Amino acid sequence: MAHIAVSALSHEGLVREHNEDSLAIGPWTLCATVTESPQTMLFPLGTPCLVAVADGLGGHPGGEVASALVARRLAALAPGLGDPDAVREALLACNREVFEATERSPELTGMGTTVAGLVVTATEVIVFNVGDSRVLDATGGELRRLSTDDSPPPPPGRRTTNIVTQTLGGSVSPRTVEPHLVVHPLPAAGARYLVCSDGLTDPLPDEEISGILARHSDSTAAFELWKAAIDAGGPDNITLALVSVHHDE
């Protein structure tokens, strides 16, 4: 039976005091929780399968609250996210809900989160993001960024920047967002995608990520990616989901 395999983990890294990242995989969520062992889930290919990473904003109150809210909301909506319009409306709803949560709890004013993910259907992949968490296409051994970072170019001599220009929530007053959305046909010979927070991509260059993915598959690759980010100093929360599409043989 054709299916989707998702191997994921989330960890606080070596510098942050706690984990503000959250994951949504189909109806399953892992919110602001640490695991060093990749969890692997299988889903039939056909029904929309959501995989998303939400990275709560550091330096703001309630980053873990915002990321968990978004992950749980997307997981609840997942079965109906079979087209780009539905995904866009879900992200706009998440943005509104983050601000509504701060109205109920003023101590959380300014909380926010990035989000990035994809929805795999029987024929296509809907990629989405707000902020600087990423979706990467690793099909065929090459690494290609499918998401669009909401951040300015890094300063000269640096590979990354910690400035984010668009998030869900993240400001004192409510504001709208414009999610990045792109649709790609699902390759007939299988596909592989990496969804992750910047705790993975900031310390690791694309070449190292690509090399790990070339040497390992599914849960082993997820573990080795996490280990490489830890070996590189683990400067931020590390959350990743490796998505592999397996067709009938």
Side-chain angles (χ1 to χ4, degrees):
M1 180 180 183
H3 66 278
I4 302 163
V6 184
S7 297
L9 59 76
S10 187
H11 190 269
E12 79 268 41
L14 299 179
V15 175
R16 305 296 187 188
E17 292 183 357
H18 60 282
N19 191 7
E20 294 184 303
D21 289 358
S22 295
L23 267 168
I25 304 173
W28 181 85
T29 58
L30 182 70
C31 298
T33 302
V34 170
T35 172
E36 296 178 358
S37 174
Q39 307 298 306
T40 299
M41 284 155 282
L42 304 181
F43 302 89
L45 182 61
T47 302
C49 179
L50 167 85
V51 179
V53 168
D55 180 354
L57 297 183
H60 292 236
E64 70 281 6
V65 177
S67 72
L69 186 158
V70 169
R72 289 174 178 143
R73 182 61 171 161
L74 290 176
L77 295 172
L81 301 182
D83 64 78
D85 288 341
V87 174
R88 182 177 186 277
E89 288 304 315
L91 294 172
L92 296 180
C94 286
N95 186 54
R96 291 192 299 269
E97 290 185 23
V98 171
F99 283 113
E100 289 168 1
T102 66
E103 292 176 1
R104 296 189 297 271
S105 303
E107 70 276 10
L108 297 175
T109 297
M111 76 171 180
T113 183
T114 71
V115 67
L118 49 77
V119 178
V120 182
T121 73
T123 59
E124 61 189 18
V125 178
I126 305 166
V127 176
F128 61 87
N129 80 283
V130 177
D132 59 356
S133 293
R134 291 180 178 174
V135 180
L136 303 167
D137 184 351
T139 304
E142 295 183 3
L143 203 62
R144 182 167 60 100
R145 192 184 309 176
L146 301 180
S147 55
T148 301
D149 284 356
D150 283 311
S151 56
R158 294 188 58 185
R159 192 174 56 82
T160 63
T161 177
N162 59 1
I163 299 173
V164 183
T165 58
Q166 182 176 228
T167 60
L168 302 178
S171 63
V172 174
S173 301
R175 61 182 180 184
T176 60
V177 294
E178 188 53 51
H180 302 282
L181 286 160
V182 62
V183 180
H184 295 272
L186 191 66
R192 198 180 195 197
Y193 304 96
L194 175 64
V195 184
C196 61
S197 63
D198 62 353
L200 180 73
T201 53
D202 278 359
L204 299 182
D206 286 356
E207 295 77 13
E208 186 168 358
I209 294 173
S210 181
I212 291 171
L213 292 174
R215 293 190 298 273
H216 305 285
S217 61
D218 293 343
S219 61
T220 302
F223 178 83
E224 291 295 333
L225 287 169
W226 165 75
K227 184 175 180 296
I230 290 294
D231 291 344
D236 202 351
N237 302 153
I238 306 159
T239 301
L240 63 98
L242 187 60
V243 183
S244 299
V245 181
H246 301 268
H247 291 277
D248 293 325
E249 296 182 358

